[in-house]
Amino acid sequence: MKITELLKKNTIILDLKSNSKAEVIDELVNKLDNAGMLNDKEEYKKAILKREADFSTGIGEGIAIPHAKVAAVKTPALAFGRSTAGIDFDSLDDAPANIFFMIAATEGANNTHLETLSRLSTLLMNEDFKKKLLIVKTPEEVLSLIDSQEEEKLEEESAEEEIVEVKGSKGLVLAVTACPTGIAHTYMAADALKNKAKEMGVDIKVETNGATGVKNRLTDDEIERATGIIVAADKQVEMARFNGKKVVIVPVVQGIKKPEELINQALNGEAPVYNHAGGSKTATGSEKTGIYKHLMSGISNMLPFIVGGGILIALSFIFEKSSNPNLLYLSNLLSIVGSKNAFALMVPVLAGFIGMSIADRPGFAPAMVGGFLAYQSNAGFLGGIIAGFLGGYVVLLLKKAFSKLPEALESIKPVLIYPLLGIFITGAIMYICIDGPVVQINLLLQHWLGGMGTGNKVLLGIILGGMMAVDMGGPINKAAFAFGIAMIASKNYYPHAAVMAGGMSAPLGIALATSFFKNRFTKQERETGLSCYIMGACFVTEGAIPFAAADPARVIPATVIGSAVAGGLSLFFNIGMPVPHGGIFVVALVNGSPLLYLLSILIGAAVTCIILGILKKPKDI
């Protein structure tokens, strides 16, 4: 079946009157309904809007493909619309869309219809075809252009081997693409990956999990030989077969928008090794790693604040003891920018981007406000993570709760309803459930530590050192630090020596691990590890946060044990620290041996390094 058997002259609009996304959908739905293609216009429109709520079908580069497969469609059909001025369609690249194809598939559509509809999606990956669609003057020219382009595509498909081979190939990459409807994005992602691989000189085979079933299925032999595997999917695909292989798992739209980046990740071994959890033979690519994906979105955007702010704080310590007024002013300025501003934004940014990853742009503001409340209550990065997920899922619930609003009120959701209710609900929960309890936790910890006194200095050192690495800036860390400061005020300098040793040991241990166990860390992690040397030396424990947040089950136990060793040794050697901060720059001021104090810190860091080397699995990088 040809595309032009589904697209008719009476379902083509060469000059859309619409000025908004909602109006475009209305205009195209009405066109299909007037042409007699729909059983129930409202049900079909509801299915289209539901698909848009899940993820915008504005794929970028001026194209949008709203689609639905539902019983409300009488006859499988296409509608084409064009806007010379362009219309905002929530596209991935934020650019206005000019070309619109609305796909109407019946719930029980046969494979012939579905394959034809899917072929249209791949045609739109051709730049020359898109340019010609923008200048055709009549519906007849539209149909003729599609016919000629489709004939070329069919010839390519009949000649194409299962594996797209390239002379002098750099390696074999396998890919799986899948979307819930299985009509548009599945095949667009497949074509984008194949075209880019050919351009890059890489052999590739792409399995499509479309509406007509699995095509071009990957074999066990191909999986065994593959350099890397890409799963670009928003629905369940078979994952057990990839156990032990390096797999890049992303939403299907990333296959369309970032094919080169994904292929490079697969070729360069930057993908993590996939470990199948067992049970079901299928797993949803995007959902399987959803929590991790959301978390990494927050961490990657928080990282510049930690690195930049932490190093600025470290530099401020260099000059704070100077007698030169200009250098003192510089030290104060560096501290204000780094500590009071860059670090103040760290937790809110972490939370905001987690929320945005979960609920798109409407999730950003509620999560960021929740993160700011976590920062103000000293809940640290753990509080920020809670705020991020809370804000994101609150907005998702709001989207579901207000899905039945009249169409006229659709436009006020993202600008009024979601931010107003999202910020209030997230903020209220954070304030009631996090802020007050955190203060009580801090007070209880300080009281407990104070009750220990100095009867057993080594045990106290172990506890204080370990506490510094539990949440790296959160309530437990802050309680230990506050106790150390209180002891300095009481002229008891021993506890704070353990506090500073533990706080320095965690990031230093991670830095050492990224240097001595390189294959346990990604390229980005190894680069971040270099900054941990500086932040650890300067007693900026927060340098360990990106690693702890990304892999808490391994990193936190390793850092807690190493920091506890450092804190215990510092008090075993009878070291006292009379100043509250400064790291390496104040070691010479300790009561006792500076060399033994440094040794305590280095032994603790080495313990963390070794444990990480044992616990973390090689990434084969």
Side-chain angles (χ1 to χ4, degrees), residues 88-161:
D88 182 7
F89 206 85
D90 295 332
S91 299
L92 295 175
D93 55 6
D94 292 325
N98 306 97
I99 296 170
F100 302 86
F101 277 98
M102 180 171 278
I103 299 174
T106 57
E107 196 168 47
N110 62 43
N111 287 358
T112 303
H113 286 140
L114 293 172
E115 287 174 357
T116 305
L117 292 168
S118 302
R119 196 178 306 123
L120 169 68
S121 304
T122 63
L123 296 185
L124 290 169
M125 303 304 293
N126 185 309
E127 287 295 327
D128 184 57
F129 175 59
K130 288 188 290 184
K131 288 177 183 176
K132 288 177 180 176
L133 274 178
L134 289 172
I135 59 174
V136 290
K137 300 187 184 302
T138 65
E140 290 81 5
E141 287 182 20
V142 172
L143 298 175
S144 176
L145 173 63
I146 291 174
D147 272 340
S148 62
Q149 190 69 36
E150 186 175 19
E151 285 178 17
E152 291 179 17
K153 183 65 179 174
L154 287 170
E155 288 176 11
E156 289 176 12
E157 288 177 353
S158 62
E160 190 177 86
E161 298 178 3

Side-chain angles (χ1 to χ4, degrees), residues 453-454 457 460 484 486-496 577:
T454 57
K457 287 195 298 186
L460 181 63
M487 291 299 99
I488 289 176
S490 302
K491 307 299 182 183
N492 180 355
Y493 304 132
Y494 295 108
H496 201 68
M577 175 56 71

Side-chain angles (χ1 to χ4, degrees), residues 350-366:
L350 168 68
F353 280 94
I354 290 174
M356 187 173 179
S357 178
I358 294 168
D360 210 350
R361 281 175 287 187
F364 183 76

Side-chain angles (χ1 to χ4, degrees), residues 144 148 172 212 244 251 255 321 388 396 427 449 484 511 551 604:
S144 176
S148 62
L172 171 62
T212 59
K321 299 298 181 183
L396 287 185
L449 290 171
D551 190 6

Side-chain angles (χ1 to χ4, degrees), residues 236-244 274-284 288:
Q236 288 188 322
V237 299
E238 291 183 42
M239 295 296 290
R241 53 189 167 155
F242 302 138
N243 189 51
Y274 176 75
N275 294 300
H276 188 63
S280 173
K281 293 183 179 179
T282 62
T284 305
K288 182 78 175 175

